[in-house]
Amino acid sequence: MRKIIYWVHTSIDGHIDGPNGEFDWPVMGEELSAYSETLSDRCDTFLYGGGVWKGMVAFWPNAESMSDHPHVLKFAPLWRDTPKIVVSRTLKETDWATQVIGDDLAEQVTELKRQDGKDLLLTGGRPLFVPRDERLGLGLAESRTCDSQVVVMRYDRV
């Protein structure tokens, strides 16, 4: 069964974006870019929520015209070529998305996981941690520093 890999940049105090929705603070150095690329290599489908999708579709289709950063130049063609699924109750269709899921989320995502293929990469999402009644059951599987300024922590379900 395919796995969902959740990949998100978050500040130490749990914020994904700035007070005005800006996402200009993550530093994509060589090591973090390489880590991101290994995640993308494990996956054949990208998943997004509606809010993150708006930011992705505003940048990645023409990213090379807005940035010459090595990560952007390498990831932009991959982003355009990879199937993308958007989870949104308000968005019905959109350019660049292969599919929009608005109803029966648990059932449809379970079906995606059952399909043949590589893993699914879920990028971003708000809020990072939703209050829950039950324990999530995560164990730290890996921790490392990238580019002397970013810490990557990978958790697996225990």
Side-chain angles (χ1 to χ4, degrees), residues 121-145:
L121 186 62
L122 172 61
T123 302
R126 294 181 189 102
L128 180 57
F129 295 109
V130 177
R132 305 170 63 101
D133 292 332
E134 70 279 352
R135 237 175 239 222
L136 195 53
L138 299 175
L140 183 63
E142 175 187 6
S143 174
R144 66 173 148 170
T145 303

Side-chain angles (χ1 to χ4, degrees), residues 76-110:
L78 175 66
W79 186 88
R80 287 189 293 268
D81 292 342
T82 301
K84 292 163 279 297
I85 298 173
V86 181
V87 178
S88 174
R89 287 190 172 85
T90 58
L91 189 65
K92 300 303 176 201
E93 61 182 62
T94 180
D95 291 340
W96 292 98
T98 307
Q99 179 181 359
V100 177
I101 296 174
D103 297 317
D104 302 319
L105 177 62
E107 183 179 318
Q108 290 196 51
V109 170
T110 299

Side-chain angles (χ1 to χ4, degrees), residues 1 9 15 17 27 36-37 44 49 58 62 88-89 93 105 107 113 117 125-128 145-146:
M1 181 176 281
H9 299 273
H15 292 274
D17 50 14
V27 177
S36 174
E37 291 161 13
D44 62 5
N62 301 302
S88 174
R89 287 190 172 85
E93 61 182 62
L105 177 62
E107 183 179 318
K113 290 172 63 177
R126 294 181 189 102
L128 180 57
T145 303
C146 294

